[in-house]
C-alpha cells in the first residue's frame, strides 16, 4: 500500500484552515467555548483520554505496570487534563463558528441534552471491561428482541461518524505512535511505515466490523435508560448540519490531542525502557 498523500494530521489542518477561511469574523469567544465544553460534556470526553494511557505501552507489547511509579508520574504529566482541555479550547475558539456553538449548546442544555450528557460522562469514566461486558449482553438481547432499538443506535452512531473515519484515525494514531517510538529508540520495527500501513489495510474490514460491534455495545450500555423516542430525537439532532459541523471538529480535536500525547509518551518511554524489536 502506498503512503497517503496527506496524513490525518494534515487533514485536520485542512479542516481547520477551511473553517478559518469560511468564518473570518465568526470564531467563537473563548469563554463561550469553555462553557460549551462543559454543557456538552466534551470536557469529560477529553479527560477520559487519560484512561487510555496504558494502551500506549500495550502497542509495544509492554505493560505500564512494569514501569512502576515512573509510569504513573510520566502519564500524569503527559495526560494532564487541564492542559488537554486548554488545547481543545485553543483550537475550537479558532475553528468553531458562533452559530454551530450556539446550536450545539442549545440542544445539550435542554432537559434531554443534559440527561444525555450525564449518561455519557458517566460512560466515559466507567471501567471499560465492565461497560464492554454489560454492553455486549444488552446488545445480544437487543439483536434478539428489539431490532427497532438496534436500528436507532446504528443511526445515531452513523451520525457521529462512520467506521471508515474511525479506522483512519485509529490507524494514523498507531502509525504515529510506533514511528515516534522507533525514532526515540524504544523499539526497532521489522517493517517501515509503508509496511505498517499495508498490514493495517489487510485487516481493515475485520477491524471496522469489530469497531462497529464495540460501538453498538458501548451505546447499548450508555443509553440503556433512554426510550426509543429519546434515542430517535438524539439521532435527529446529531444529523442536523450544524451538529455535524460540531462533531467533525470535536472528533478532529480529540484525535489530534490524543495523537500528540501518544507521541509524547513514545519519547518519554525512551528514558524508561532499553528498547526491543517488534
Amino acid at each position: 500500500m502506498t503512503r497517503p498523500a496527506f496524513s490525518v494530521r494534515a487533514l485536520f489542518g485542512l479542516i481547520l484552515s477551511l473553517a478559518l477561511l469560511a468564518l473570518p469574523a465568526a470564531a467563537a469567544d473563548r469563554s463561550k467555548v469553555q462553557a460549551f465544553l462543559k454543557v456538552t460534556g466534551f470536557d469529560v470526553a477529553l479527560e477520559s483520554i487519560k484512561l487510555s494511557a496504558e494502551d500506549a505501552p500495550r502497542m509495544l507489547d509492554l505493560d505500564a505496570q512494569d514501569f512502576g511509579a515512573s509510569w504513573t508520574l510520566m502519564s500524569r504529566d503527559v495526560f494532564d487534563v487541564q492542559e488537554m482541555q486548554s488545547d481543545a479550547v485553543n483550537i475550537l475558539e479558532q475553528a468553531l463558528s458562533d452559530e454551530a456553538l450556539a446550536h450545539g449548546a442549545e440542544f445539550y442544555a435542554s432537559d434531554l441534552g443534559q440527561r444525555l450528557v450525564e449518561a455519557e460522562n458517566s460512560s466515559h469514566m466507567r471501567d471499560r471491561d465492565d461497560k464492554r461486558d454489560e454492553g455486549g449482553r444488552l446488545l445480544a438481547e437487543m439483536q434478539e428482541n428489539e431490532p427497532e432499538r438496534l436500528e436507532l443506535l446504528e443511526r445515531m452512531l452513523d451520525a457521529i461518524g462512520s467506521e471508515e473515519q474511525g479506522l483512519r484515525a485509529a490507524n494514523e494514531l498507531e502509525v504515529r505512535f510506533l514511528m515516534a517510538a522507533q525514532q526515540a529508540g524504544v523499539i526497532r520495527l521489522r517493517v517501515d511505515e509503508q509496511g505498517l500501513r499495508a498490514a493495517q489495510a489487510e485487516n481493515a474490514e475485520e477491524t471496522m466490523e469489530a469497531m462497529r460491534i464495540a460501538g453498538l455495545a458501548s451505546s447499548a450500555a450508555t443509553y440503556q435508560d433512554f426510550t426509543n423516542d429519546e434515542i430517535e430525537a438524539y439521532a435527529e439532532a446529531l444529523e442536523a448540519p450544524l451538529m455535524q459541523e460540531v462533531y467533525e471538529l470535536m472528533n478532529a480535536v480529540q484525535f489530534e490531542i490524543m495523537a500528540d500525547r501518544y507521541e509524547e509518551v513514545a519519547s518519554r518511554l525512551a528514558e524508561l525502557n532499553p528498547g526491543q524489536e517488534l
Side-chain angles (χ1 to χ4, degrees), residues 21 25 33 43 53 71 76 83 93 95 97 117 135 147 158 163 180 200 224 228 234 243-244 250 270:
L21 285 172
V33 173
D43 59 340
W71 168 262
R76 185 182 301 163
E83 288 186 6
E93 71 172 328
S97 70
V117 168
D158 288 338
E163 282 77 35
Q200 290 174 337
Q224 60 184 296
N228 285 4
Y234 193 21
M243 194 71 90
Q244 288 289 297
M250 289 199 301

Side-chain angles (χ1 to χ4, degrees), residues 169-243:
N171 283 348
E172 192 67 23
L173 176 67
E174 181 180 37
V175 168
R176 282 174 58 172
F177 176 65
L178 291 177
M179 297 308 295
Q182 177 167 260
Q183 185 175 3
V186 178
I187 57 171
R188 294 178 294 277
L189 294 170
R190 296 189 181 97
V191 297
D192 58 12
E193 181 177 342
Q194 186 175 353
L196 286 175
R197 294 187 185 280
Q200 290 174 337
E202 289 180 1
N203 300 317
E205 291 188 10
E206 181 181 346
T207 303
M208 282 193 292
E209 179 61 23
M211 290 174 65
R212 182 74 170 180
I213 293 174
L216 287 170
S218 176
S219 295
T222 301
Y223 304 106
Q224 60 184 296
D225 294 329
F226 292 85
T227 67
N228 285 4
D229 287 344
E230 289 171 332
I231 294 175
E232 183 174 18
Y234 193 21
E236 289 178 356
L238 292 170
E239 290 165 349
L242 283 174
M243 194 71 90

Side-chain angles (χ1 to χ4, degrees), residues 39-52:
V39 76
T40 61
F42 193 42
D43 59 340
V44 177
L46 293 169
E47 181 181 357
S48 70
I49 291 176
K50 69 182 183 181
L51 301 181
S52 73

Side-chain angles (χ1 to χ4, degrees), residues 27-176:
D29 177 78
R30 186 174 186 85
S31 62
K32 290 181 180 179
V33 173
Q34 291 171 330
F36 174 82
L37 259 63
K38 186 171 183 60
V39 76
T40 61
F42 193 42
D43 59 340
V44 177
L46 293 169
E47 181 181 357
S48 70
I49 291 176
K50 69 182 183 181
L51 301 181
S52 73
E54 292 186 2
D55 291 341
R58 289 194 188 106
M59 289 187 194
L60 309 177
D61 290 334
L62 301 172
D63 191 326
Q65 295 182 355
D66 293 340
F67 299 109
S70 296
W71 168 262
T72 301
L73 293 173
M74 185 266 284
S75 62
R76 185 182 301 163
D77 183 40
V78 173
F79 293 91
D80 181 89
V81 174
Q82 290 187 342
E83 288 186 6
M84 291 191 292
Q85 292 173 349
S86 179
D87 288 348
V89 171
N90 291 340
I91 298 171
L92 290 175
E93 71 172 328
Q94 295 294 321
L96 185 61
S97 70
D98 276 334
E99 186 181 13
L101 183 150
H103 179 85
E106 181 179 9
F107 172 77
Y108 282 108
S110 68
D111 290 341
L112 174 60
Q114 282 300 284
R115 287 177 53 225
L116 287 164
V117 168
E118 183 180 359
E120 290 166 354
N121 286 352
S122 177
S123 179
H124 285 316
M125 304 306 293
R126 185 178 175 185
D127 180 85
R128 288 188 291 180
D129 290 337
D130 289 346
K131 182 169 65 173
R132 183 190 62 235
D133 292 344
E134 182 182 39
R137 175 180 57 79
L138 292 170
L139 179 59
E141 294 175 357
M142 205 178 301
Q143 291 170 327
E144 182 72 23
N145 304 313
E146 298 182 90
E148 179 183 354
R149 187 174 180 85
L150 179 58
E151 289 180 5
L152 290 172
L153 290 181
E154 289 178 331
R155 177 182 169 185
M156 186 181 66
L157 287 181
D158 288 338
I160 293 172
S162 67
E163 282 77 35
E164 289 85 357
Q165 293 171 326
L167 180 61
R168 283 197 298 271
N171 283 348
E172 192 67 23
L173 176 67
E174 181 180 37
V175 168
R176 282 174 58 172

